Amino acid sequence: MSEFFSSPLLLDALLRTLGIGASVALLSGMLATVLAWLVVRTDIAGGRWFERWLSTPYSLPAYLLALAWMVLGNPTVGLLKDLLPEGGITSLWGIVFVETSVAFVFPFLELCAGFRRLDPALEEAARLSGAGVISILRRVSLPLLMPALISGMGLSFLYAISSFGVPALLGMPARKLVLTTLIYSQFRLGGPEGLQKGLWISLLLLGFSALVLASLNLHQRRTLKRLGKTAIATGRASRESRVRLGRFRHAAALLPGAWVTLTLVLPWLALGLSALAQGPGQYHLSGWSLAHLQSLLAHPLLLESLINSVLLAASISLLVTGLSFFMAFKEVRRSCKIARSLSEMLLLPFGTPGSTLALLWLVAMAFLLPGTSVPLVALFVTCALKYFAVGIRAYRTAYGQVDPVLEEAARLSGAGTSALLIRIWRPLLKSTTASVLFLVAMPVLTELTMSLLLTGPGASTLGTLLFQLQEYANPSAAAALAWVLLSLALLISLALSARRSPTAQENS
Amino acid sequence: MNRTLKGLSLLAFALTLAAAATACTRSGPEKPTLWVYTSLYPEVIAKLEPRVAQALPDITVKFFQGGSETIASRVNAELAGGKTQADLLLTSDPFWYQDLKTRGALLSYQSPAASAVPAEWQDPDHAFTTSRVPVMVIGAHEKIVSDGDAPKKWSDLLNPRWKGKLSLGSPLESGTTFTAVALFEKAPGWSFVEGLRKQDAISAGGNSAVLNRIESGERPLGIVLLENILKARQKGAPVRAIYPEDGVLPIPSPIAITAKTAHPESAKKLYDWFFSPEVQTEIVASGMYSPLPGGAPPPGGKPWSELAGAAVQWNPSLLKELVASRDGTKSKFQTLWLN
């Protein structure tokens, strides 16, 4: 065992994992800052639509985007291979790019909510004092939004270092191992010793996650303390002010447009092509048919998978949202130590690979309640644990940044805790709640790694169905399912942005 | 919309809790429930489910389907906790069964139904028996690799003309690929595996990934399970199987009863049933060979009698030897491939 832990293989995988994590976090942070500012704070053409679309990739599991990009960017037969650097999408930058297209949504949504919470009076004051647009962004808005940005980037980092599907699909063919793929190979073929090795490497990964989380928390607390006197949102009605881009309104839309094309339009086209074509690589128009879509619709497990996944996603997102809404309140507004340690512990599973969580659950269940496994309960608990971090971090930032003047007024009028939460905080944090519901429900809907280990009779999910089609039955039908899911996500985004964006209602 | 969403979520939560409660408070089962953890294909299980209910009405059978390696991880984890939920195991990695036997995790059972299975495919202590035989062959893209050019033997894959054209699964992820690599190490020898690396072969994923690379033309030649090729051909994919003259690689895939099963007698009945003609016919229809002599070949496959002569001969001592050198083989492969 000690030989294994001193092997260059492990060190190599560790460095690669950290490198990918850091690159994804940096890229996500930069993109999110520019794009969130453009769509929320300026009168950019189509801003409302872009806000929905930019966060839509998150509703698809990254491994599907990786599958789509394999069709486009495969170094040998990819349709766009000539446009890409050597190695195509199966290179380190390919992994970073595909991970970023999903992980970017964490800082993006936090910043969108942050920009809305930001009291326009502060920017107004800066403008009246003669500051330009860039200078206001750099010297007023961004420092105030730093906690939201850092928190989002932290989640992107953790997401990238614990993600498995993308490095497995894009990294393995190019012989690039990361910690999660190393853990995976230990669990799969290492026997009992492999289980131990896998858990030890998971612990290493967990150590890094804990370190990152601890420094993020420290930073968050310090900044909030520093900014305490300049709470950035008042909760009082105020006019939303947007920077006028004038004749650049349309030109500016090119940037979010390009990102949406790369992360949504191209993958949608690639999956559509795979779903309609006769088979992999046989894209000639004469072979196109709806046969794969029909075989998907006729699949006996489709309905069961759909119901299970929707129920899990709905119940888990509600549970996580409710619990973290309450716990973050206790922690931030009541300085409750128990709530703080509990939520700090619950942040860890987010940085742990799904397969490790699932195996730990199996070990625990076999020890505590042997023979009573209920697959849907197992999935419910492990998924809820994994995504709790998303809720707790978002609410922490939000509670810390809203001026408690309304809460104090309500308290003076005799309101109890539940009245405060329901009548004051719920409407104030509407946009955070919407983003937490979305950020938790979507990955659960298509969760794969934990589901594969914990599924059982009657517990098929969209993730296991996709895998089953991909692995055993019909990869083109799997592409069809992925295509349907992405199309649905796009349609929902379209429908939502046609109405007034509900997340835009905060402060109104 | 908000209210509907809330209602739906609450309902979901209640249903999940109800399911948990039902499972926990279920009173003593009237007939034994047996869990079968298997890597049999989902469509085979779908066909077997109603038949087992008919054949063995006094047993309730539940299947957990997954890849062999997923099942191994799950069982290893459950055993680490004390006891696995599985009563029967049917997966494709013979080495793992040798492991489980050594750890005392399997129940010894000499099944009368399996008595005709050749001795080289049986454990001498009856801890496990081969219940099906998938075989590894060379898969080729029909249009890119013409009949005349096609490799005839494993060693032909090292011809420089196939450089950059080959792929195989990863022996670190897929059990069947690991078995193939371990057998290659015996014959023709490790230099063959080194040759594959020099040919710039892609080694990643499992058999379906290899098939995908053949079908898309990314890597028109691959080391892959016959059943993947046969099924793809049935769907009209431009792929075909090449049976190497120096022998296909059979992967004897075991069945075993777990040592701590609560219902050993029922488990034995179910074990026997897997060797019945109705199950073996379904197994063969899914592209594998039956371990029972004289059976028909899988649809579109060559009869076993044509392959048996050259095929790698298994025996218990070869299995033990390969298990003993398993970690060494894997780390050798890692060093070779990742550097």
Side-chain angles (χ1 to χ4, degrees):
Chain A
M1 188 85 86
S2 61
E3 206 177 276
F4 173 77
F5 280 96
S6 54
S7 69
L9 183 73
L10 184 63
L11 185 68
D12 200 33
L14 175 68
L15 291 177
R16 193 171 290 125
T17 306
L18 295 179
I20 290 175
S23 318
V24 169
L26 275 177
L27 197 58
S28 298
M30 289 191 302
L31 270 165
T33 308
V34 176
L35 293 176
W37 180 77
L38 275 177
V39 300
V40 177
R41 267 312 195 217
T42 71
D43 62 345
I44 188 174
R48 203 173 60 195
W49 301 76
F50 277 131
E51 186 178 346
R52 287 283 178 199
W53 286 353
L54 284 166
S55 47
T56 301
Y58 187 79
S59 53
L60 267 191
Y63 66 84
L64 283 185
L65 293 179
L67 275 180
W69 271 100
M70 275 301 260
V71 175
L72 299 167
N74 185 305
T76 324
V77 289
L79 299 170
L80 304 179
K81 65 175 192 293
D82 298 331
L83 302 176
L84 302 175
E86 204 191 330
I89 201 75
T90 63
S91 57
L92 282 182
W93 75 261
I95 298 177
V96 169
F97 163 69
V98 177
E99 299 270 36
T100 303
S101 60
V102 175
F104 137 87
V105 180
F106 293 109
F108 178 71
L109 284 183
E110 288 217 28
L111 283 177
C112 284
F115 272 120
R116 289 220 168 80
R117 280 196 304 264
L118 204 63
D119 189 345
L122 295 172
E123 291 183 341
E124 202 81 17
R127 196 170 306 144
L128 289 174
S129 319
V133 172
I134 302 293
S135 161
I136 292 175
L137 183 65
R138 199 167 54 87
R139 304 192 39 194
V140 179
S141 320
L142 275 186
L144 287 168
L145 292 176
M146 209 35 105
L149 176 64
I150 299 278
S151 158
M153 282 172 65
L155 286 180
S156 305
F157 179 83
L158 293 181
Y159 174 88
I161 65 171
S162 68
S163 103
F164 165 73
V166 178
L169 276 167
L170 303 182
M172 299 286 252
R175 306 194 306 275
K176 303 269 187 286
L177 279 185
V178 296
L179 287 185
T180 50
T181 43
L182 194 62
I183 292 171
Y184 174 76
S185 71
Q186 290 301 329
F187 282 154
R188 279 170 81 83
L189 284 173
E193 205 191 319
L195 179 69
Q196 281 179 24
K197 277 186 199 163
L199 290 176
W200 274 112
I201 310 172
S202 307
L203 212 61
L204 184 74
L205 196 59
L206 204 68
F208 273 100
S209 305
L211 211 67
V212 171
L213 280 169
S215 37
L216 280 179
N217 288 340
L218 195 69
H219 175 270
Q220 200 172 27
R221 243 175 264 137
R222 273 192 192 156
T223 331
L224 287 179
K225 215 177 196 175
R226 192 159 45 83
L227 295 177
K229 295 276 184 299
T230 47
I232 63 174
T234 58
R236 286 165 296 203
S238 54
R239 190 172 51 85
E240 205 178 324
S241 72
R242 287 178 181 254
V243 174
R244 301 203 180 282
L245 296 175
R247 58 203 163 92
F248 296 113
R249 262 190 89 220
H250 290 96
L254 283 177
L255 186 65
W259 187 247
V260 168
T261 307
L262 282 176
T263 56
L264 278 184
V265 181
L266 286 178
W268 184 81
L269 288 174
L271 288 175
L273 191 62
S274 308
L276 295 175
Q278 208 175 353
Q282 302 157 61
Y283 301 131
H284 201 268
L285 202 63
S286 61
W288 283 23
S289 76
L290 294 176
H292 300 309
L293 277 164
Q294 280 164 347
S295 79
L296 169 70
L297 287 177
H299 199 284
L301 288 178
L302 181 66
L303 191 65
E304 178 188 312
S305 312
L306 195 67
I307 292 175
N308 283 339
S309 288
V310 169
L311 287 184
L312 280 170
S315 55
I316 290 173
S317 57
L318 201 75
L319 177 82
V320 167
T321 309
L323 260 182
S324 44
F325 175 64
F326 179 69
M327 275 180 54
F329 171 78
K330 290 296 263 184
E331 186 191 341
V332 179
R333 305 246 61 111
R334 294 284 178 270
S335 307
C336 169
K337 288 220 168 86
I338 304 175
R340 181 194 284 182
S341 5
L342 199 62
S343 53
E344 223 115 282
M345 265 186 330
L346 282 168
L347 289 178
L348 284 178
F350 189 72
T352 310
S355 53
T356 306
L357 282 182
L359 287 172
L360 285 175
W361 168 268
L362 288 169
V363 174
M365 283 307 280
F367 184 67
L368 298 170
L369 294 165
T372 56
S373 111
V374 182
L376 282 179
V377 174
L379 277 173
F380 179 84
V381 177
T382 46
C383 285
L385 277 174
K386 171 118 179 144
Y387 293 105
F388 192 80
V390 176
I392 199 81
R393 288 207 68 82
Y395 278 116
R396 249 186 200 170
T397 319
Y399 275 118
Q401 293 199 325
V402 178
D403 188 339
V405 59
L406 283 177
E407 182 186 344
E408 275 155 23
R411 223 167 27 177
L412 287 176
S413 325
T417 304
S418 55
L420 278 182
L421 282 171
I422 296 171
R423 310 280 284 276
I424 307 291
W425 287 111
R426 199 175 57 99
L428 275 181
L429 301 184
K430 216 187 234 169
S431 113
T432 309
T433 302
S435 85
V436 171
L437 280 171
F438 176 75
L439 287 175
V440 175
M442 285 312 179
V444 173
L445 202 63
T446 44
E447 204 289 325
L448 177 67
T449 35
M450 296 190 279
S451 312
L452 279 182
L453 279 159
L454 299 173
T455 184
S460 171
T461 63
L462 288 175
T464 59
L465 178 64
L466 256 172
F467 182 82
Q468 206 185 88
L469 289 169
Q470 178 74 27
E471 207 53 24
Y472 300 117
N474 185 349
S476 306
L481 178 53
W483 194 42
V484 169
L485 284 174
L486 181 56
S487 306
L488 275 178
L490 284 174
L491 276 177
I492 292 172
S493 294
L494 211 66
L496 286 174
S497 42
R499 301 170 37 195
R500 191 182 169 209
S501 158
T503 63
Q505 287 173 13
E506 197 165 69
N507 286 354
S508 63
Chain B
M1 156 119 181
N2 219 359
R3 221 172 260 177
T4 328
L5 186 73
K6 265 180 223 161
L8 196 73
S9 328
L10 280 177
L11 183 71
F13 190 48
L15 278 177
T16 324
L17 284 184
T22 329
C24 295
T25 57
R26 213 169 24 200
S27 54
E30 285 145 22
K31 54 179 185 175
T33 298
L34 294 184
W35 276 89
V36 181
Y37 284 13
T38 180
S39 61
L40 282 171
Y41 291 115
E43 67 264 23
V44 176
I45 294 175
K47 283 184 190 155
L48 294 184
E49 270 173 335
R51 294 197 197 159
V52 71
Q54 235 172 17
L56 301 168
D58 52 344
I59 306 174
T60 306
V61 180
K62 290 191 170 186
F63 288 94
F64 167 65
Q65 196 280 338
S68 294
E69 304 79 13
T70 306
I71 289 175
S73 338
R74 179 167 173 158
V75 172
N76 287 335
E78 289 177 340
L79 287 175
K83 184 182 183 294
T84 170
Q85 181 181 240
D87 299 283
L88 255 76
L89 300 170
L90 265 107
T91 61
S92 66
D93 177 1
F95 307 116
W96 183 53
Y97 288 77
Q98 187 67 37
D99 251 353
L100 289 174
K101 178 188 165 189
T102 319
R103 291 154 66 195
L106 299 180
L107 184 83
S108 172
Y109 172 52
Q110 187 168 10
S111 162
S115 58
V117 173
E120 69 262 25
W121 285 347
Q122 293 211 35
D123 175 57
D125 304 314
H126 311 291
F128 54 90
T129 309
T130 299
S131 63
R132 56 198 165 109
V133 189
V135 298
M136 284 293 236
V137 295
I138 298 173
H141 192 292
E142 272 183 329
K143 291 179 189 146
I144 305 178
V145 182
S146 68
D147 262 357
D149 293 344
K152 305 274 184 295
K153 294 183 289 190
W154 292 113
S155 49
D156 292 345
L157 293 177
L158 303 187
N159 187 318
R161 72 186 308 172
W162 303 126
K163 189 171 168 92
K165 308 276 183 210
L166 304 174
S167 95
L168 67 160
S170 163
L172 313 176
E173 292 176 72
S174 141
T176 45
T177 308
F178 171 76
T179 310
V181 169
L183 290 173
F184 286 143
E185 191 181 4
K186 295 289 293 172
W190 191 249
S191 57
F192 176 70
V193 184
E194 286 172 334
L196 291 175
R197 173 77 183 86
K198 280 184 201 137
Q199 289 285 66
D200 207 14
I202 290 182
S203 162
N207 289 287
S208 59
V210 178
L211 176 70
N212 204 40
R213 289 193 281 264
I214 299 174
E215 210 179 327
S216 69
E218 182 190 359
R219 296 293 164 125
L221 280 170
I223 299 171
V224 66
L225 282 175
L226 174 66
E227 63 219 49
N228 289 72
I229 300 287
L230 294 181
K231 267 204 248 174
R233 269 185 81 86
Q234 278 170 9
K235 293 192 186 114
V239 295
R240 68 191 177 91
I242 299 168
Y243 302 82
E245 288 166 4
D246 41 353
V248 298
L249 310 177
I251 319 278
S253 305
I255 178 172
I257 302 174
T258 53
K260 288 190 185 167
T261 172
H263 310 287
E265 291 315 310
S266 306
K268 286 173 184 173
K269 278 189 206 163
L270 186 56
Y271 187 105
D272 291 347
W273 180 71
F274 277 101
F275 290 94
S276 68
E278 59 177 333
V279 179
Q280 289 295 319
T281 311
E282 285 306 333
I283 283 177
V284 170
S286 71
M288 303 166 208
Y289 290 87
S290 168
L292 298 167
K302 282 189 178 180
W304 182 246
S305 53
E306 282 181 37
L307 305 176
V312 169
Q313 299 294 312
W314 281 86
N315 58 59
S317 65
L318 174 69
L319 185 60
K320 269 191 197 160
E321 196 185 318
L322 294 182
V323 169
S325 58
R326 186 170 49 168
D327 283 347
T329 306
K330 256 189 256 169
S331 64
K332 249 162 69 178
F333 186 87
Q334 263 175 354
T335 316
L336 173 69
W337 224 266
L338 298 177
N339 289 319

